[in-house]
Amino acid sequence: MNNFQFKNPTKILFRKGQIENLSKEIPENAKVLLLYGGGSIKSNGIYNQIKKAISSFDIVEFGGIPANPEYAVLIDALKIIKDKNITFLLAVGGGSVIDGTKFLAAAALFDGNSPWDILSKNIRTQKGMPFGTVLTLPATGSEMNSGAAITRRETKEKLVMGGPGLFPVFSILDPEVVKSIPQHQISNGLADAFTHVLEQYMTYSVDAKLQDRLAESVMQTLVEVAPAILKDTSDYKASSNFMWSCTLALNGLIQQGVPSDWAIHMMGHELTALFRIDHARTLVIIAGSHYTYNLATKKEKLAQYATRVWNVSEGSVEEKALIGIKKTTEFFQSLGIKTRLSEYTDDYKGTAQIISKRFTERGWLGLGEHGKVTPSDVEKIVEMSY
Ligand code: NZQ
Ligand code: ZN
């Protein structure tokens, strides 16, 4: 096992009806900016619950943060934070609203030239404005980690940011919110969380037995609850297991002491930036090709995964590894997700070259757990995903 330091300060309040207790978590006398997305919280009743719970605070609202939070929209919110002397941010939404809020938490205290530098120059945030979240969509784990992904439409870029100053102070996880989530977002959540585990697991063994078993358990739980939650989003038992699995998939715990990959996410972000394909679906498009292309360096872990998660008992290491890749693709398909880029756009030719060129220009010359996935490898992997 590798050495590590681990600190995750986010307080989790996991309970049915937990939104009622929201006011106890917000600092007294705070001037709160309530941030949300395109309006789902208004139609499913969460907005009214929130407003009631925090009625004693001085509140300003900012709605309309789009999926794949858009830089230009967030800059409008940043102006409100400054003009109205906001002291606490409250994100109510999925990964997009929470990530957008993290950007604002960083930008509000940033003393550089342009807040875009936080993303383009990869500036880590040591101290951000405090914020809490009410999660409405299990998927990203953003509610208990310190990372974010921000999109800039004018330049078709999607970049990541983070730092120890960007953990939520608290996150409310009430599995009842799952009820109103449309089917395709449930599928996205399952696929995103599953891929988060894969990115931190499908590397090479460092004999970290517990991390391996934890990762496998999260994947097994997602596979087990997927049919139930897809069938009935008001199934509270399935929702609770789905929600906590998504959080655990990316709250830092399973990543400690082990190598991680994240190349699938880096390639996937480009597909969102170029074609506006949902985040989770971009991961599904890339995953199979990435693992097939990198079979030589990942086959032991792929075989272990095939055996432990998919009960594959026959065959050589390589044969098991290949079955593991096939099972992964079939799992994604069982969620109703298309697995090839050409199923999302007719304009896919040349995508591999564009992405590879962007990586070269940004100096991303070696991705993956060994730092050896070059822009030329990226080109081949993306091409295999057409
Ligand atoms: O905008 P509203 O109207 O609220 O509707 C949203 C949105 O259209 C809707 N929704 C959310 N909760 C709902 C609901 N609809 C009905 N009932 C509810 N309870 O769902 C749609 C998608 O929401 P979004 O927040 O975009 O989805 P998700 O949670 O999948 O977040 C995706 C974003 O997170 C980033 C992605 O890149 C993407 O930008 N990620 C963040 C990560 C992190 N911070 O750690 C890691 C991930 O790998 C990912 O990169
Ligand atoms: Zn993801």
Side-chain angles (χ1 to χ4, degrees):
M1 194 187 302
N2 299 335
N3 298 332
F4 63 89
Q5 277 190 22
F6 182 48
K7 180 176 177 184
N8 187 320
T10 302
K11 176 176 176 182
I12 295 292
L13 295 105
F14 186 103
R15 205 181 78 182
K16 204 175 190 166
Q18 193 59 262
I19 292 172
E20 278 172 20
N21 297 322
L22 182 53
S23 66
K24 293 185 199 141
E25 306 303 323
I26 300 175
E28 250 177 78
N29 303 320
K31 181 142 190 202
V32 180
L33 181 62
L34 168 61
L35 295 135
Y36 52 91
S40 69
I41 64 165
K42 291 208 168 146
S43 46
N44 60 19
I46 295 174
Y47 176 82
N48 286 342
Q49 280 178 274
I50 301 271
K51 288 287 280 205
K52 196 169 155 214
I54 57 172
S55 57
S56 62
F57 286 89
D58 187 359
I59 308 164
V60 181
E61 285 185 32
F62 187 88
I65 297 177
N68 302 307
E70 165 58 31
Y71 180 70
V73 174
L74 297 170
I75 291 298
D76 291 341
L78 185 59
K79 198 166 174 306
I80 295 176
I81 293 175
K82 294 193 168 161
D83 290 351
K84 307 262 182 195
N85 298 318
I86 298 294
T87 61
F88 192 87
L89 307 175
L90 179 63
V92 182
S96 294
V97 173
I98 301 175
D99 281 14
T101 301
K102 287 178 180 173
F103 169 77
L104 293 171
L109 304 190
F110 182 63
D111 56 11
N113 277 340
S114 157
W116 184 249
D117 289 352
I118 301 170
L119 290 135
S120 64
K121 296 188 179 158
N122 203 2
I123 299 172
R124 307 257 309 152
T125 300
Q126 301 300 331
K127 188 172 178 338
M129 178 174 275
F131 68 99
T133 90
V134 177
L135 181 68
T136 65
L137 174 55
T140 63
S142 190
E143 66 279 7
M144 201 181 175
N145 69 39
S146 60
I150 304 296
T151 297
R152 193 167 185 178
R153 208 163 283 170
E154 55 174 323
T155 51
K156 291 194 173 174
E157 283 173 287
K158 177 169 184 175
L159 297 175
V160 293
M161 56 177 284
L166 293 180
F167 283 97
V169 178
F170 66 84
S171 283
I172 292 191
L173 274 58
D174 177 351
E176 290 242 288
V177 300
V178 173
K179 258 193 274 188
S180 63
I181 301 174
Q183 194 92 9
H184 84 274
Q185 294 295 351
I186 298 273
S187 300
N188 284 354
L190 289 161
D192 191 23
F194 196 85
T195 313
H196 292 159
V197 182
L198 288 175
E199 296 266 41
Q200 301 162 90
Y201 170 95
M202 207 61 82
T203 56
Y204 56 90
S205 174
V206 289
D207 201 30
K209 296 184 193 304
L210 180 60
Q211 287 89 326
D212 280 4
R213 297 275 185 198
L214 283 171
E216 289 151 3
S217 301
V218 177
M219 291 190 280
Q220 284 170 314
T221 310
L222 287 167
V223 170
E224 187 179 333
V225 301
I229 196 70
L230 283 169
K231 186 161 162 245
D232 178 10
T233 52
S234 60
D235 178 337
Y236 186 80
K237 285 185 196 162
S239 302
S240 328
N241 285 298
F242 169 42
M243 188 173 253
W244 188 230
S245 298
C246 291
T247 303
L248 213 78
L250 196 50
N251 73 348
L253 182 66
I254 65 171
Q255 184 149 12
Q256 301 310 314
V258 296
S260 53
D261 181 348
W262 295 111
I264 297 173
H265 271 70
M266 299 331 275
M267 289 181 257
H269 286 168
E270 298 305 316
L271 298 181
T272 299
L274 293 168
F275 302 109
R276 298 174 70 178
I277 301 170
D278 289 355
H279 170 67
R281 288 165 201 251
T282 67
L283 309 177
V284 167
I285 292 167
I286 300 289
S289 313
H290 181 61
Y291 292 141
T292 308
Y293 185 83
N294 291 294
L295 189 69
T297 54
K298 290 178 181 286
K299 64 181 175 210
E300 278 80 17
K301 222 50 199 293
L302 275 162
Q304 176 180 309
Y305 157 77
T307 307
R308 294 190 186 171
V309 176
W310 297 109
N311 304 315
V312 176
S313 53
E314 306 282 310
S316 64
V317 167
E318 194 153 320
E319 281 162 351
K320 284 182 184 161
L322 287 168
I323 299 173
I325 298 172
K326 188 163 167 274
K327 291 276 184 194
T328 311
T329 305
E330 285 168 3
F331 172 59
F332 291 145
Q333 286 166 339
S334 78
L335 306 177
I337 299 184
K338 297 187 174 103
T339 56
R340 310 216 65 92
L341 182 60
S342 54
E343 295 176 283
Y344 293 85
T345 171
D346 293 332
D347 201 17
Y348 58 88
K349 288 192 190 107
T351 305
Q353 288 75 16
I354 294 170
I355 296 178
S356 156
K357 186 164 170 273
R358 283 183 159 195
F359 282 16
T360 305
E361 284 164 3
R362 290 186 197 139
W364 296 1
L365 304 180
L367 302 183
E369 65 274 20
H370 298 287
K372 287 192 174 156
V373 178
T374 64
S376 141
D377 295 321
V378 164
E379 186 173 327
K380 290 179 190 125
I381 293 164
V382 176
E383 218 157 43
M384 281 167 72
S385 310
Y386 287 175

